[in-house]
Every structure is written in C-alpha cells, then in structure tokens.
Amino acid sequence: TARSSASSDVDGDPDVVLAACGDVPTLEVLAAADILRRELPDLHVRVVNVVDLMRLQPAEEHPHGLPDRDFDTLFTTGRPIVFAFHGYPRAVHQVVHGRSRPGRFHVRGFSEQGTTTTPFDMVVLNDMDRFHLVCDVIDRVPGLSARAADVRRAMADKRAEHKRYIDVHGDDMPEIRNWKWS
C-alpha cells in the first residue's frame, strides 16, 4: 500500500481518504481527486493506491498484512474512506474486518452491470466512475453536502452528458478518453 497523493489539515489527517485497488479504479480515483481539488479546494483529500489487497488485513491475519499503526496512518482512525475496487466490494469489507471502525469504508466495485459498451460506461454502470466517487465524498464528509450541493448536481449532469454522448457517438467523451493527471 502506498500513498499516491496527500494533503492534510492541521492535525495531519485528511477530511477523506480516496483509495483504489486495480488499474481502472485507480484512474477513476485520481480523476475524482482532481475534480475535488478543482471544485472543493479547501477539502483535504488523501489518495491511497492499494497494490496488494492482502496488505489491508491485520499483520496477524496475513503475512502481507499491515500492522494496525501503519494501517491507521494511511487510512486514519476516524475519517470516511471511499474505496474503488476492481472486484466485488464485499472482498474489501472482508479484509478490513477487525480494523479501526471498518464501517467507514464505502466500497464501489464490480456489481455485474453492463454489456457491450464503452470502457468508461462500464464503470458508470457499476457506479465506480469519478462522478459517483465525488458524490460519495460529498455525501460522507460531515458538513460537506450542504456546501457542495452544486458540485454534486454537476456530477449528475456529467453522468447524463456522458450517456447522451455515448448514445450518439458510441465512444467515451474526449475529456474522459484523454484525461491525464494535471
């Protein structure tokens, strides 16, 4: 497990942790962090990229597991965690069982939605896209939903715009296909 990006408030903890495991989820988490950075610059977001899912287990449960202290340093002991995963969400919940307040983990992952469509539409259909992740952050950070209602609405508008675009063009929007970390 490695920290990809971090900014923190005075006490060292971010307001929220965005985490990902898998290449597509990591791309979507980074894109969500980019949107949050632009739209809500006062929000402190930590991004954690999980390369080995077994690192999330306690050290006494798995040889790759992280000691509680290291886990808490990455994920905090009290902040909400929005986690994008390339598998079934329940798997993440199982490996964080026994950690500090595991109910803080809100996991987006594969929900067997979609058919032959565009790559980004598959993540939209499984509610794991950048726009859903931004909304998850807004919904879970205490006090944020009221002051970020316009951002939340804009994310719903982007999902609708995406749907209209792929219905007409059969491909993902250029801003999605060509997105790069700035």
Side-chain angles (χ1 to χ4, degrees):
T1 308
R3 218 174 328 183
S4 296
S5 168
S7 65
S8 57
D9 56 18
V10 177
D11 67 6
D13 273 350
D15 296 314
V16 65
V17 176
L18 274 173
C21 184
D23 58 344
V24 172
T26 299
L27 176 73
E28 291 307 307
V29 158
L30 290 171
D34 188 40
I35 292 168
L36 290 165
R37 183 178 61 181
R38 281 185 281 111
E39 300 296 328
L40 300 166
D42 293 337
L43 182 72
H44 298 128
V45 177
R46 176 177 296 157
V47 173
V48 177
N49 182 27
V50 178
V51 177
D52 178 355
L53 190 63
M54 295 301 105
R55 297 285 286 160
L56 299 180
Q57 288 195 310
E60 26 323 313
E61 299 289 325
H62 194 279
H64 299 172
L66 278 175
D68 287 338
R69 187 188 57 174
D70 295 344
F71 183 89
D72 292 345
T73 297
L74 284 173
F75 291 101
T76 77
T77 57
R79 303 294 197 229
I81 301 153
V82 175
F83 198 112
F85 180 53
H86 61 183
Y88 294 107
R90 176 102 26 233
V92 174
H93 288 290
Q94 288 173 334
V95 297
V96 299
H97 177 76
R99 293 296 192 173
S100 178
R101 297 182 51 217
R104 299 177 297 131
F105 277 78
H106 177 71
V107 184
R108 293 284 186 176
F110 183 64
S111 60
E112 299 191 33
Q113 300 299 313
T115 182
T116 304
T117 186
T118 70
F120 184 71
D121 197 39
M122 287 300 293
V123 290
V124 170
L125 292 170
N126 284 277
D127 297 340
M128 194 180 56
D129 60 277
R130 59 198 72 185
F131 308 126
H132 275 101
L133 296 172
V134 167
C135 290
D136 286 340
V137 167
I138 292 168
D139 293 346
R140 283 166 177 75
V141 171
L144 188 57
S145 60
R147 69 181 172 99
D150 56 334
V151 176
R152 193 175 203 304
R153 251 186 320 279
M155 297 302 101
D157 292 346
K158 290 304 284 184
R159 286 193 304 271
E161 178 186 348
H162 152 77
K163 179 68 174 136
R164 288 189 303 273
Y165 188 91
I166 65 164
D167 285 349
V168 171
H169 301 281
D171 199 2
D172 292 322
M173 296 184 297
E175 71 185 77
I176 300 295
R177 283 193 322 264
N178 302 325
W179 182 85
K180 296 207 181 332
W181 181 256
S182 55

